[in-house]
Amino acid sequence: MPKIDLYRNVHMGQRARLFALATELGAADVSHSGAAAEQAARCLAMTRELREHADHEDTFIHQLLRERAPEAADALEAEHVRLDAAFVALDERARTLTGIPAEDLPEAQHALYLALNEVISAYLAHLHAEETVAMPALWQYAGAEELGAVMAAFRASRTPEQSLTDLRRMLPALPPAPRAAIVRDVMAAAPHGQADRTLAAVSGTLSPDQRHRLHEDLGVPEVRAAG
């Protein structure tokens, strides 16, 4: 039975979306009406999401880590200092972008792009610490039942809408096999008669090729999800 990894899948989704945001911000034509405000809003939404994610980890994971492996918990707390400063700098850049005169927008856009990439740099280091220090420590000092209880408690804390958002953010970044395993479990837990609708909802952010592969792996004709 595979080890329970509390970080892997969600972190893969976060990396994919951070990299996409950086690429799209760098290439955006902010001279078009509303484009600067849209890019600023996307950056602010990302820092808000990452802060919420950190709160979830503190609530459901890091208390156990602090009890069982305090040195690993200390390593994560050290990462938070640089990370929090990067979030603040990005938020400040994003909030001022929409008030910039048109002739100054290209430089302001690039400054926002650099601030976003500073967040990504700090966040990648944070993810690396969680995945190579914190998770191995939890595997060593906490049992599978405890890790399963952590995962179950987090899932129970999410509304159906939040759970759907979590899946739609994460699934496009996963390989086919774990993606299909997750969706299969979600469909099995759906209310009676709602499995097809659930499949359509969770697969909405997948590319056409990813969606086709998912249906193949599940053994479900694609036309069923459209009904």
Side-chain angles (χ1 to χ4, degrees):
M1 182 176 178
K3 292 180 179 179
I4 296 174
D5 193 322
L6 302 175
Y7 299 110
R8 180 173 179 165
N9 290 343
V10 66
H11 284 181
M12 291 182 72
Q14 288 177 338
R15 285 185 176 98
R17 291 184 306 105
L18 282 166
F19 298 156
L21 177 57
T23 300
E24 291 161 13
L25 172 61
D29 182 359
V30 294
S31 66
H32 285 188
S33 176
E38 178 186 355
Q39 295 301 322
R42 292 181 69 196
C43 290
L44 290 168
M46 181 60 74
T47 57
R48 183 167 58 250
E49 176 193 331
L50 296 182
R51 287 187 176 103
E52 290 173 355
H53 173 73
D55 289 342
H56 298 154
E57 290 181 335
D58 287 342
T59 300
F60 295 101
I61 303 176
H62 296 163
Q63 180 177 348
L64 178 62
L65 186 68
R66 168 68 52 194
E67 293 172 357
R68 303 299 173 83
E71 291 184 0
D74 289 342
L76 295 188
E77 289 177 7
E79 291 290 335
H80 285 163
V81 176
R82 180 186 174 199
L83 192 57
D84 288 345
F87 284 162
V88 169
L90 177 58
D91 286 349
E92 290 175 351
R93 288 285 185 186
R95 291 191 180 104
T96 60
L97 185 67
T98 54
I100 299 292
E103 62 271 21
D104 296 329
L105 264 179
E107 288 305 314
Q109 175 187 4
H110 190 64
L112 180 62
Y113 173 79
L114 294 180
L116 173 59
N117 278 277
E118 176 59 25
V119 164
I120 293 173
S121 175
Y123 202 69
L124 291 178
H126 177 69
L127 298 185
H128 185 71
E130 289 182 331
E131 293 165 351
T132 64
V133 177
M135 198 63 242
L138 287 169
W139 283 330
Q140 182 175 358
Y141 297 114
E145 289 187 2
E146 289 176 295
L147 298 180
V150 167
M151 187 73 78
F154 170 71
R155 289 173 177 165
S157 76
R158 307 294 278 166
T159 66
E161 293 77 13
Q162 289 171 331
S163 296
L164 176 60
T165 296
D166 293 342
L167 288 167
R168 288 167 66 92
R169 287 171 173 170
M170 178 178 65
L171 290 176
L174 302 184
R179 181 190 301 131
I182 290 169
V183 174
R184 190 177 289 111
D185 288 345
V186 171
M187 291 174 66
H192 180 70
Q194 296 297 308
D196 291 348
R197 182 170 293 185
T198 298
L199 173 58
V202 300
S203 62
T205 52
L206 300 180
S207 70
D209 287 346
Q210 288 177 326
R211 192 177 303 113
H212 179 72
R213 173 62 186 270
L214 175 62
H215 282 263
E216 279 191 341
D217 290 342
L218 295 174
V220 178
E222 288 190 63
V223 293
R224 290 183 60 192

